[in-house]
Amino acid sequence: FPSHDRTVLFVTLFAVIVWHGITWVDRANRGFLAIKMLAYLLLVLSILPQVTLAKFPAENPVALQSAILVSVTSFGYAIIIPSLRTYLHSDVKALRTAVIVGSTIPLLCYLAWNYAVQGTLGGEMLHQLHVTNTDVVSALMDGLAQQRGASAISLFAHTFTAVCVLTAFLGVALSLSDFLADGLHLQKVGSQKWTVYALTFLPPLAIVLLSPHVFIQGLHYGGVFCVIILLLLPAAMAFSGRYYQHRTGPYHVPIGRLFLSGLVIGGLLLLALV
């Protein structure tokens, strides 16, 4: 199939899962997560023997500056918490467990992955891949396969990245549909359901069809919006609700003015790195 046809087919097939709600997304994600973790373990274990400390790049504050917002975007999963709250029937203990475990496991995997890749390819080769390739992800996977001399690495790598995109698609699409339904005061039933999902899938699909490489370019700018939406805005809302509007509720997060102020300062410092 031409690339545009594959894109439309992908969105159509997996939009059906999102259409049926969070239960279907949960079940599908469990299956895809099992495949992803198996591919990840095989990939990391395959390249770890090639890791050497001499290949690790030297400290480069400029590189850190460009990478930090991408990292923020990678862990900017908070958009799905409202959907999780509904799915877990506002069970605070279960939601807290989901957030803590769901943050710790990806963080450990992320650190192990960076250790394996940087210790295998080295800073100079990674820089060359970034500069000379438009599809950096595919180039990275091919570079790992060539470095290790094993074609299986390419299979593990492409399986892992493909499933990562798929699971991210399901989670983000679900949370975006809930966000639009809530913000536009629409119900996900009847004709309004068609409106919600049209707004969820059609604008991103049009952007991807018109500019296929916008995803990687958008990660940097996505980090800016993540800092605003996931750090500055929640801190400002909590500060206003507690200390100006004096709102109360059945659950109170055990943080005070100092912590909220720290979130605002941290968010502003991240924005200053742009």
Side-chain angles (χ1 to χ4, degrees), residues 90-213:
S90 298
D91 186 332
V92 173
K93 183 178 179 180
L95 187 58
R96 186 187 296 115
T97 300
V99 170
I100 294 174
V101 175
S103 301
T104 303
I105 293 176
L107 176 60
L108 295 176
C109 292
Y110 184 78
L111 293 174
W113 170 251
N114 276 276
Y115 172 82
V117 170
Q118 295 190 38
T120 300
L121 298 181
E124 183 176 346
M125 185 173 182
L126 288 172
H127 178 70
Q128 287 298 320
L129 289 176
H130 177 72
V131 171
T132 59
N133 294 274
T134 55
D135 189 349
V136 180
V137 176
S138 295
L140 173 63
M141 301 311 166
D142 293 338
L144 288 173
Q146 293 172 7
Q147 191 76 8
R148 185 70 174 86
S151 58
I153 288 182
S154 182
L155 174 62
F156 300 151
H158 285 90
T159 300
F160 174 68
T161 53
V163 179
C164 281
V165 171
L166 178 54
T167 52
F169 173 88
L170 293 174
V172 171
L174 175 69
S175 57
L176 178 58
S177 67
D178 286 340
F179 171 79
L180 291 171
D182 180 62
L184 299 175
H185 304 289
L186 298 173
Q187 298 295 322
K188 296 170 78 172
V189 294
S191 61
Q192 291 188 353
K193 185 173 184 178
W194 286 99
T195 302
V196 170
Y197 285 108
L199 292 173
T200 299
F201 293 110
L202 294 183
L205 176 61
I207 292 173
V208 171
L209 292 176
L210 294 173
S211 182
H213 303 295

Side-chain angles (χ1 to χ4, degrees), residues 219-257:
L219 285 178
H220 177 77
Y221 300 102
V224 175
F225 290 106
C226 280
V227 170
I228 295 173
I229 295 174
L230 305 180
L231 283 178
L232 297 179
L233 186 58
M237 291 170 64
F239 206 97
S240 175
R242 288 185 185 185
Y243 306 115
Y244 290 95
Q245 301 179 34
H246 303 289
R247 294 191 178 188
T248 58
Y251 178 72
H252 185 86
V253 178
I255 58 176
R257 294 174 185 262

